[in-house]
Amino acid sequence: MDIKSISSSLSVCPQITAQDVQKIADLGFRSIVCNRPDGEGADQPVFDEIEAAAKKLGLETRYLPVISGKVSDEDAEAFGKAMNEIPRPVLAYCRTGTRCATLWSLSQAETLTVADILAATKSAGYDMAGVVRRIANGGRTPTDRADASFDVVIVGGGAAGIAVAASLKSRKSDLEIAVIDPADIHYYQPGWTMVGGGVFNASQTAKTMGSLIPRGVHWLKSAVAAFEPQDNAVILDGCRVVKYDRLVVCPGLKLDWHKVEGLVSTLGKHGVTSNYRYDLAPYTWELVSNMKEGRALFTQPPMPIKCAGAPQKALYLSGDYWRKQGVLKNIDIQFHNAGGVLFGVKDYVPALEKYIDLYNADLNFFNNLVAIDGPAKKAWFDVAKPDTPVERVEVDFDMIHVCPPQSAPDFIRVSPLADAAGWVDVDHMTLRHKTHSNIWSLGDVMNAPNAKTAAAARMQAPIVAENLVADIKGQLPSAKYNGYGSCPLTVERGKIVLAEFGYGGTLLPSFPTWLLDGTKPTRAAWILKEQILPPVYWWAMLRGKEWMIKPEKVSAS
């Protein structure tokens, strides 16, 4: 038997025999459900044999036969009813287990999210792509029609989504484009570090989504439930179907606050904060500006994360403030990094290490935050040094700045667009999907090995636009992405180490070194970050003005 667990109450498997029932009972199952009609296969025992063996062992049974490929709404309803009536855990079987998994998926459609259902079945080895529209429709068969259709559909209205919409419109104004995003507010997230450092006000980093959607682009204010790339369709919550000729996927990533035990219940109080949330960045500054002594922890989870420098930016701005206030000698700064280096591109490390020394901060590598107790002011880290058993350590704090674990959004991770790690699977140069040729991706959600920053999305947007328009014209991709990303590391108020690099850590400076040497802290880089980049974001990037980011052409050879 090849038993696969779907949930705590249900497992499924291929055809069983009467001889298997004893083992099924020994494994702790209390009921058996048969979803395979008798006589479907020449080597198939009839249900009566299974039932007789089960009764001898005190197991409940149900015979709910379903014709292969014809799971009806009534079948799913009967399966759900049976699951509520019989003792659990339940083992359901058919020829392969697929019908059982399908029946469970449809029966749970009104109580679980589409992503949760797809994740559970995918982990058990069953692909529910064929019934995803029914799952999104509460388990019932929807009408087979599109509610809307567009030349280009863009999933995500963040920096990447709006920028690529604007870049597409600037190249081909007659395109019918839709941006799908449920949010009312669009945030300039690179500004949140500055909010946490007392430089920006939070309100400076937010604008209404409606004010930023490019003219002539449709805004579908909804969440995406699933993708049907074989039918060129996106399924929205409520089972609305949006068809596309070409699709761009850029919904950002998921901040997985729940992965740290106890974190959610204490965020924003007890000295627990994070610049990774709009409403918490002001609390960071409140804590920093009021702290006169004690221990301050700054954490960084395993990669990948958006803006890998942000966790230490919070440290630098805090340390700089405490130094200038004359209280740094009273504050114990600890940086707990799940990785093994301060920064992934070695050319910038010497300058950063000088500031670590300046602020007398201790570096704790291979330290991953796993739990926190806000009222008790305690945090627990798993220390996983190479070739050493994992050790859990307890650390007291007066203030802790948390960078949360991050992953692809659930609806991406369980979709046909994702690679094994859950990220959208693209060609790293053209940003075109490796399997579905009419799909592109950019921003934090795709699997290219570049830094996940707004600067990267700014570079990627015209590349996707260029290649998508080339595809419309029947041409091959005409632009390539070199992995460019930028991370302005705010090492003190008034100075920044401007890290700019591409694939493999190759330095890709935007300015000559005589004007701005990114490997050293400079006032010029601070002016760029504080005064120039925000207007460039709002008035250029999101409006299709591609200053200094002309796409690099693909070689004809």
Side-chain angles (χ1 to χ4, degrees):
M1 290 183 296
D2 184 18
I3 297 175
K4 302 290 187 182
S5 175
I6 298 284
S7 71
S8 60
S9 58
L10 176 71
S11 295
V12 304
C13 73
Q15 177 70 54
I16 63 172
T17 67
Q19 289 70 40
D20 293 326
V21 175
Q22 180 64 61
K23 184 176 181 181
I24 291 168
D26 292 342
L27 289 172
F29 290 101
R30 300 177 63 196
S31 302
I32 297 174
V33 174
C34 174
N35 295 132
R36 190 181 190 192
D38 282 343
E40 187 179 71
D43 59 348
Q44 172 189 353
V46 298
F47 173 69
D48 287 348
E49 298 174 50
I50 308 295
E51 184 178 41
K55 282 185 176 179
K56 289 181 181 179
L57 297 170
L59 273 63
E60 289 275 337
T61 59
R62 288 292 174 90
Y63 182 54
L64 300 173
V66 175
I67 297 173
S68 180
K70 295 185 178 180
V71 178
S72 69
D73 294 352
E74 293 73 23
D75 291 331
E77 185 177 349
F79 185 87
K81 185 172 183 289
M83 286 291 293
N84 288 330
E85 293 175 348
I86 58 180
R88 305 177 185 182
V90 177
L91 177 68
Y93 72 91
C94 56
R95 186 179 69 83
T96 64
T98 300
R99 268 168 281 184
C100 310
T102 302
L103 288 161
W104 176 83
S105 298
L106 297 174
S107 71
Q108 299 300 305
E110 290 189 338
T111 56
L112 298 176
T113 67
V114 175
D116 285 342
I117 291 170
L118 295 181
T121 51
K122 184 177 181 179
S123 67
Y126 296 99
D127 182 4
M128 294 293 107
V131 293
V132 70
R133 200 176 300 190
R134 291 175 66 182
I135 297 171
N137 196 43
R140 297 173 295 278
T141 303
T143 56
D144 190 20
R145 65 176 180 83
D147 295 283
S149 183
F150 301 92
D151 298 326
V152 181
V153 168
I154 300 170
V155 175
I162 293 183
V164 80
S167 288
L168 282 167
K169 272 294 186 182
S170 70
R171 284 168 170 77
K172 202 170 189 310
S173 60
D174 62 337
L175 282 175
E176 285 292 318
I177 301 173
V179 172
I180 303 174
D181 197 298
D184 292 305
I185 305 298
H186 176 104
Y187 295 105
Y188 176 56
Q189 295 181 30
W192 292 349
T193 294
M194 303 290 261
V195 175
V199 182
F200 289 173
N201 292 320
S203 59
Q204 293 175 258
T205 68
K207 293 184 185 293
T208 61
M209 185 72 79
S211 69
L212 298 173
I213 300 292
R215 187 184 302 275
V217 171
H218 304 268
W219 175 27
L220 307 183
K221 191 175 180 294
S222 180
V224 171
F227 298 92
E228 289 183 342
Q230 72 279 7
D231 293 325
N232 294 335
V234 177
I235 314 303
L236 307 185
D237 279 355
C239 202
R240 288 175 293 159
V241 180
V242 178
K243 292 273 194 168
Y244 59 82
D245 292 331
R246 288 164 182 83
L247 175 68
V248 180
V249 183
C250 47
L253 46 64
K254 173 184 176 180
L255 302 180
D256 207 343
W257 302 98
H258 287 280
K259 269 196 172 178
V260 178
E261 182 184 344
L263 177 58
V264 170
S265 63
T266 194
L267 277 168
K269 53 191 175 184
H270 308 303
V272 182
T273 189
S274 178
N275 290 341
Y276 274 78
R277 234 173 64 181
Y278 172 78
D279 60 319
L280 295 178
Y283 183 53
T284 301
W285 176 236
E286 179 185 330
L287 292 172
V288 171
S289 59
N290 289 323
M291 192 168 183
K292 301 295 185 284
E293 61 181 2
R295 176 178 288 161
L297 307 184
F298 298 84
T299 76
Q300 180 170 318
M303 299 293 282
I305 62 172
K306 66 168 71 180
C307 192
Q312 58 187 286
K313 293 181 196 180
L315 182 159
Y316 298 136
L317 283 177
S318 301
D320 180 56
Y321 178 79
W322 293 325
R323 181 174 66 91
K324 290 173 179 174
Q325 294 299 309
V327 298
L328 182 60
K329 62 182 181 298
N330 302 323
I331 298 177
D332 175 17
I333 300 177
Q334 301 284 330
F335 186 43
H336 291 263
N337 185 351
V341 295
L342 183 58
F343 194 72
V345 182
K346 66 180 188 325
D347 300 76
Y348 302 103
V349 172
L352 301 178
E353 286 180 334
K354 289 180 180 178
Y355 279 91
I356 292 292
D357 292 340
L358 177 64
Y359 303 133
N360 198 26
D362 289 328
L363 298 178
N364 303 278
F365 293 123
F366 306 108
N367 276 231
N368 185 33
L369 179 68
V370 293
I372 191 167
D373 184 336
K377 298 292 185 75
K378 294 182 181 297
W380 288 267
F381 297 86
D382 277 352
V383 182
K385 296 179 180 178
D387 304 317
T388 303
V390 176
E391 176 188 6
R392 182 158 296 185
V393 299
E394 179 182 294
V395 182
D396 295 328
F397 66 84
D398 294 284
M399 166 195 164
I400 181 170
H401 177 274
V402 176
C403 174
Q406 295 165 39
S407 63
D410 293 340
F411 73 96
I412 295 291
R413 184 172 44 82
V414 300
S415 77
L417 309 183
D419 65 7
W423 306 95
V424 179
D425 195 16
V426 299
D427 178 274
H428 298 169
M429 294 294 181
T430 65
L431 305 183
R432 192 178 204 168
H433 197 274
K434 289 181 181 177
T435 304
H436 305 287
S437 61
N438 64 337
I439 297 178
W440 287 260
S441 183
L442 71 156
D444 295 345
V445 78
M446 54 90 169
N447 66 355
N450 63 285
K452 296 181 183 297
T453 67
R458 180 171 176 254
M459 181 66 74
Q460 295 158 8
I463 290 168
V464 169
E466 190 91 357
N467 288 339
L468 191 153
V469 170
D471 185 62
I472 291 173
K473 295 176 180 178
Q475 301 169 353
L476 292 174
S478 59
K480 64 179 180 180
Y481 176 51
N482 60 7
Y484 175 84
S486 174
C487 185
L489 292 145
T490 49
V491 289
E492 63 175 289
R493 187 163 182 154
K495 286 189 179 180
I496 278 177
V497 172
L498 182 60
E500 296 181 284
F501 50 91
Y503 290 141
T506 303
L507 299 193
L508 297 173
S510 299
F511 307 96
T513 54
W514 61 264
L515 179 62
L516 195 160
D517 185 351
T519 65
K520 296 181 173 63
T522 65
R523 174 70 180 169
W526 176 270
I527 294 171
L528 182 72
K529 168 76 173 177
E530 181 190 27
Q531 300 177 23
I532 298 174
L533 289 182
V536 166
Y537 180 87
W538 296 118
W539 306 112
M541 177 179 174
L542 301 189
R543 298 194 176 190
K545 294 177 173 59
E546 298 162 6
W547 301 337
M548 298 177 65
I549 50 170
K550 185 177 180 181
E552 185 177 348
K553 296 296 183 181
V554 173
S555 172
S557 60

